[in-house]
Amino acid sequence: MKEQRIEGLLERLLRDRGLGNHIAVVESVSGGFMHKMYKVKTDSGIYAVKHLNSEIMKRPDAQENYARAEQIETILEKNNIPIVPALVLGGKKMQNIDGQFFYVFKWQKGQIADWNHITKEECYKAGNILGRIHAIEPRKVEWKCLPPSQIDWHDYVQNAKEKDSEIASLLEQNEELLTLAEKELNRARASLPAMLCFSNGDMDPKNIMWENGTPWVIDLECLDYGNPALDALQLALQWSGIVTCDMDINKMLAFFDGYLKAYDNGFRGYGEIVGVAYTWVEWLEYNIQRALGNCMDEAERELGISEVRNTIHRIQYIQEMEPRIQAALNNCLR
């Protein structure tokens, strides 16, 4: 979408919702890998406005998923979890302007942790917040295996070849690894304990703002119900460096220290579910699709190509680190 049109939509949105009659500055800021975020200054304040990805909003379950996330967000706010919630404007959180969807937030001061310099203290605090979220309404449920991941890697290889895509050779070289990683993911999912809680599996370092050492959780559209063991292990790995392929086992354990201080359901079999780290194969599939043209524009296609490369490298690193991660979890979390 052209910047001139987006500025017009933002001006209408904020004016019509009573947040300012004049936009002084619109500044594009980092909004993650799916959506676009803008810092908007008006004559009444400073706001963060998230423009939701149009392709995602076309999905048949998108509105239902966002509505559920909004309900959980309100519950977290009432339980004093340090979050930055979307503003309720005109009785709604999600705003629709000409078929484009937005969330508006008060501008949160602070900065996101440097992925390459995350401290053990930050890992502890992040784990503690996740534990507090899980502790709100946890419950045991009848065991039910999560739906298995079913990705046809060979078909993607052939599709990429037919389109003479930049990612074709990379996918072909790693087809065996990706098939194995998906099998490990499905095996681990089948070994998860029968528990359910409020889930914020997207609470990685890019989604916490730090203001003078105080954490504030942002980007809450992925809130849902989920498995606490799955959340805890995946996020412990992300906070300890699995994303940058420079993992510190002690940071992983610091995350768990903070988590267990706030919430302990007695589960200790994390070493048996290390395969959940391969959830990245599903993020990889999404980006393969973007790289092959299922996207909004050329910029998103290029982002898809970049993320395919990054994610395959990450999966290779996880395979290398898996024995050390499993040993640490078995030895320290019993």
Side-chain angles (χ1 to χ4, degrees):
M1 181 177 291
K2 294 182 178 179
E3 290 302 311
Q4 186 175 6
R5 187 188 170 200
I6 190 66
E7 287 198 25
L9 290 177
L10 293 174
E11 186 166 3
R12 282 176 52 196
L13 168 63
L14 297 181
R15 183 188 64 239
D16 293 350
R17 303 303 187 266
L19 297 179
N21 294 315
H22 173 69
I23 288 182
V25 177
V26 173
E27 178 183 348
S28 180
V29 295
S30 175
F33 294 109
M34 292 190 189
H35 310 292
K36 293 183 178 180
M37 182 75 80
Y38 299 91
K39 180 180 182 180
V40 184
K41 294 183 180 179
T42 76
D43 50 13
S44 70
I46 304 176
Y47 302 94
V49 182
K50 174 168 287 189
H51 180 201
L52 299 177
N53 188 304
S54 297
E55 293 301 315
I56 290 177
M57 296 309 295
K58 291 176 184 176
R59 296 175 182 175
D61 58 352
Q63 293 287 347
E64 180 182 347
N65 291 342
Y66 279 112
R68 184 166 57 251
E70 291 174 11
Q71 292 172 353
I72 298 173
E73 180 181 89
T74 300
I75 293 171
L76 265 54
E77 191 174 10
K78 290 179 179 178
N79 280 270
N80 298 315
I81 305 297
I83 65 173
V84 181
L87 298 177
V88 177
L89 304 170
K92 299 180 292 185
K93 285 179 177 280
M94 184 182 289
Q95 307 298 316
N96 182 350
I97 302 291
D98 290 352
Q100 300 295 313
F101 296 91
F102 301 87
Y103 283 118
V104 182
F105 310 84
K106 291 182 179 178
W107 183 258
Q108 175 62 48
K109 294 180 180 180
Q111 59 186 6
I112 294 170
D114 180 346
W115 283 80
N116 296 308
H117 297 93
I118 293 171
T119 67
K120 286 175 62 177
E121 181 182 9
E122 288 170 336
C123 292
Y124 179 93
K125 288 182 178 180
N128 192 256
I129 292 173
L130 183 68
R132 290 170 60 191
I133 293 172
H134 287 179
I136 294 173
E137 290 184 16
R139 56 186 182 271
K140 292 186 176 181
V141 294
E142 182 180 351
W143 189 87
K144 184 179 181 181
C145 184
L146 292 174
S149 177
Q150 296 178 316
I151 302 171
D152 190 336
W153 298 111
H154 188 68
D155 185 65
Y156 279 123
V157 170
Q158 296 306 117
N159 195 355
K161 283 183 175 181
E162 291 170 5
K163 294 185 176 181
D164 195 25
S165 171
E166 299 94 321
I167 65 171
S169 61
L170 185 62
L171 291 179
E172 185 172 30
Q173 292 165 12
N174 289 278
E175 183 178 346
E176 184 177 349
L177 168 63
L178 298 176
T179 300
L180 176 63
E182 187 179 27
K183 287 181 180 178
E184 285 295 299
L185 169 63
N186 288 335
R187 186 190 66 78
R189 283 179 171 171
S191 302
L192 288 169
M195 300 176 184
L196 194 69
C197 64
F198 292 137
S199 166
N200 187 15
D202 202 33
M203 202 185 75
D204 60 37
K206 76 178 185 302
N207 287 332
I208 288 188
M209 295 284 291
W210 298 88
E211 183 183 15
N212 299 321
T214 299
W216 294 94
V217 185
I218 62 174
D219 288 351
L220 297 153
E221 302 93 65
C222 291
L223 286 172
D224 206 336
Y225 298 92
N227 190 288
L230 178 67
D231 268 11
L233 181 53
Q234 286 183 326
L235 287 171
L237 292 173
Q238 292 186 47
W239 277 88
S240 58
I242 207 82
V243 176
T244 57
C245 300
D246 185 21
M247 187 177 173
D248 184 332
I249 294 292
N250 289 325
K251 291 179 181 178
M252 177 187 74
L253 297 176
F255 185 98
F256 272 109
D257 285 345
Y259 177 79
L260 293 171
K261 184 73 172 179
Y263 173 63
D264 187 351
N265 57 37
F267 179 73
R268 291 295 186 276
Y270 291 101
E272 304 305 314
I273 60 168
V274 172
V276 300
Y278 291 113
T279 304
W280 288 105
V281 297
E282 294 172 337
W283 174 244
L284 175 61
E285 182 184 30
Y286 173 67
N287 283 286
I288 290 172
Q289 292 170 353
R290 295 205 289 186
L292 296 179
N294 185 13
C295 53
M296 291 191 297
D297 51 35
E298 179 62 19
E300 188 179 0
R301 191 183 78 84
E302 291 292 336
L303 178 60
I305 292 170
S306 175
E307 278 303 297
V308 166
R309 292 171 177 153
N310 291 340
T311 307
I312 288 179
H313 177 56
R314 195 171 294 133
I315 292 169
Q316 293 169 337
Y317 181 75
I318 292 170
Q319 185 185 49
E320 175 188 336
M321 289 294 296
E322 188 173 355
R324 287 183 59 197
I325 295 168
Q326 188 172 45
L329 291 169
N330 286 337
N331 292 333
C332 302
L333 292 182
R334 288 298 183 187

